[in-house]
Amino acid sequence: MFQRIALVMDIECFSRLPTAAVSEISLVLMDLATGSIMGKETVFLNPFDQNGHIEESTKKWCLKNLPGVNLEKSFAVTESRTALDEFIKNVNSLITKHQLEKGKFRIYSRGSNFDLPIFQSLLSRESGKPHAMWDFRSEYCHRTVLEIAFSDEDLLKAEDKAIQLAELY
């Protein structure tokens, strides 16, 4: 059954491993049927205070290609754990506000084996326990579902809109 309400997540990180240090997490709550944005949250984290993996080549790429203003915001964070706790609180409020039940909505990211495991690892490192914001069976790669749900032209528009929105916030 098609679930129209979804969370779309994008993470900027300094490694390709699940234990990557994270500099930014953006999450957009949207109605997939209409493309309307129901809410958004972004957190900037200092990648150097998380005990996360930093890959030198990825670090160089990030420093060269990520927007400077975002990196400045990340490096200005003095306590990533506090910022992450606030982000989780805000996302949980967003989920509650729209009366989304665990297991009744989906979360999409760029590959279900990249952003989401990195997010889970970050939460485990920072809090000592895995997250319980959604059921792991609700996690999907956005490319697969969009290919099934939309024509090629609509797929490109919807995919671009979802990812651009997640990257903007």
Side-chain angles (χ1 to χ4, degrees):
M1 184 170 104
F2 180 69
Q3 294 172 321
R4 20 178 326 161
I5 307 303
L7 293 171
V8 180
M9 177 184 282
D10 183 54
I11 290 182
E12 301 300 339
C13 55
F14 278 54
S15 173
R16 293 170 286 178
L17 294 177
T19 55
V22 175
S23 64
E24 181 182 348
I25 305 170
S26 297
L27 191 137
V28 175
L29 179 67
M30 66 186 301
D31 183 327
L32 293 177
T34 65
S36 64
I37 303 304
M38 302 165 65
K40 54 190 176 272
E41 288 296 328
T42 294
V43 64
F44 294 95
L45 305 169
N46 191 325
F48 303 108
D49 77 349
Q50 303 163 23
N51 198 26
H53 183 260
I54 295 177
E55 195 172 72
E56 197 57 36
S57 62
T58 306
K59 175 183 162 187
K60 286 179 184 175
W61 184 93
C62 289
L63 294 173
K64 180 180 177 187
N65 294 297
L66 292 179
V69 66
N70 291 3
L71 287 174
E72 288 174 20
K73 289 177 184 178
S74 292
F75 296 153
V77 173
T78 57
E79 184 63 43
S80 287
R81 172 118 188 226
T82 303
L84 187 60
D85 288 345
E86 184 69 19
F87 174 76
I88 292 167
K89 183 178 115 187
N90 293 342
V91 171
N92 281 330
S93 294
L94 189 61
I95 290 169
T96 301
K97 175 183 174 184
H98 292 283
Q99 301 174 338
L100 301 175
E101 296 177 46
K102 190 173 175 180
K104 301 290 182 186
F105 65 94
R106 292 184 176 172
I107 178 154
Y108 298 95
S109 67
R110 287 185 189 250
S112 57
N113 64 349
F114 188 72
D115 287 344
L116 297 171
I118 290 170
F119 180 67
Q120 291 169 350
S121 174
L122 173 66
L123 292 180
S124 293
R125 284 193 318 269
E126 293 296 319
S127 68
K129 57 185 177 182
H131 80 84
M133 296 166 70
W134 56 78
D135 188 303
F136 75 93
R137 292 170 290 201
S138 301
E139 299 173 355
Y140 294 87
C141 172
H142 76 281
R143 294 170 286 211
T144 304
V145 75
L146 290 173
E147 285 176 14
I148 293 168
F150 302 102
S151 71
D152 286 347
E153 186 175 320
D154 290 341
L155 166 66
L156 293 174
K157 288 179 191 172
E159 180 180 48
D160 284 347
K161 182 175 183 176
I163 293 303
Q164 286 172 359
L165 286 169
E167 289 176 344
L168 283 175
Y169 298 104

